[in-house]
Amino acid sequence: MLVIHPKDKTTAMLSALYDGQEAQIVDDCRSTKEIAHLLHHVSTTERIMLLGHGCDKGLFFRADDSRDEFDKIIVGHSHAFHLRRHGGNIVAVWCNADMFARAEGLHGLFSGMIISEMSEAELYQVETTQEELDRENIKLARRLRTLLDERIPMSDIPKRMQAMDDVHSPLTTFNYNNFYYL
């Protein structure tokens, strides 16, 4: 499995998706060519996980997560060809990964907007606290990992995630309803 998960304290909980598994983990800055090389050489039978912050243009990287700005898109349009080769064997969790996937013709499990920071909660007018955000996002990542470990078909995971929401707060309702199989 190839995991591209740039280090960031606000998405650190996503490491629950691959901790303890045999995986090549990329958590530092790589050039566009280096990422393309990695994606090209991953067997199509292996899963690719793309995790962190992003937008409809791709997955972000930032050298200093104490700043709000991002340095670059580490996985984007130039990598779509390599990602399409993997069919539905992609798990991408970043804000608006589903929009990126739709634009690039990708298949797999993708998140929409996921609130992982208080500034995002404020932007989307989702009432929460930092404590709830920390606690519930760890639970969300662990639950997604459970479904992946149990080999639940990715097409079933969005509905299963909704059913696993045991809190039904504005935050959990928002996040658990933002998983899509494309």
Side-chain angles (χ1 to χ4, degrees), residues 119-138:
S119 61
E120 294 168 336
E122 291 165 10
L123 179 66
Y124 286 88
Q125 299 176 340
V126 173
E127 289 191 32
T128 190
T129 64
Q130 187 64 54
E131 295 78 22
E132 180 191 30
L133 193 60
D134 295 341
R135 180 183 64 250
E136 294 303 325
N137 282 347
I138 289 168

Side-chain angles (χ1 to χ4, degrees), residues 61-65 67 69 71:
F61 172 83
R62 68 175 155 202
D64 179 0
D65 67 2
R67 296 183 6 242
E69 301 83 31
D71 297 304

Side-chain angles (χ1 to χ4, degrees), residues 75-181:
V75 177
H77 173 73
S78 64
H79 302 105
F81 169 79
H82 301 293
L83 292 169
R84 279 191 292 274
R85 289 181 42 237
H86 285 271
N89 210 5
I90 300 169
V91 174
V93 181
W94 79 74
C95 294
N96 301 312
D98 64 320
M99 294 170 66
F100 173 75
R102 285 182 176 95
E104 299 294 350
L106 303 178
H107 300 285
L109 182 66
F110 297 88
S111 70
M113 181 65 201
I114 298 291
I115 295 173
S116 64
E117 299 181 57
M118 286 303 294
S119 61
E120 294 168 336
E122 291 165 10
L123 179 66
Y124 286 88
Q125 299 176 340
V126 173
E127 289 191 32
T128 190
T129 64
Q130 187 64 54
E131 295 78 22
E132 180 191 30
L133 193 60
D134 295 341
R135 180 183 64 250
E136 294 303 325
N137 282 347
I138 289 168
K139 282 171 48 179
L140 179 137
R142 288 181 180 157
R143 288 172 173 168
L144 179 55
R145 166 72 182 264
T146 297
L147 295 174
L148 293 170
D149 285 353
E150 291 176 357
R151 299 188 184 277
I152 301 299
M154 279 201 237
S155 59
D156 295 343
I157 289 178
K159 287 285 183 206
R160 297 281 295 267
M161 286 297 291
Q162 289 174 353
M164 293 174 106
D165 180 3
D166 59 348
V167 175
H168 302 287
S169 71
L171 173 71
T172 62
T173 299
F174 187 95
N175 283 351
Y176 280 76
N177 285 309
N178 271 311
F179 286 91
Y180 306 95
Y181 177 74

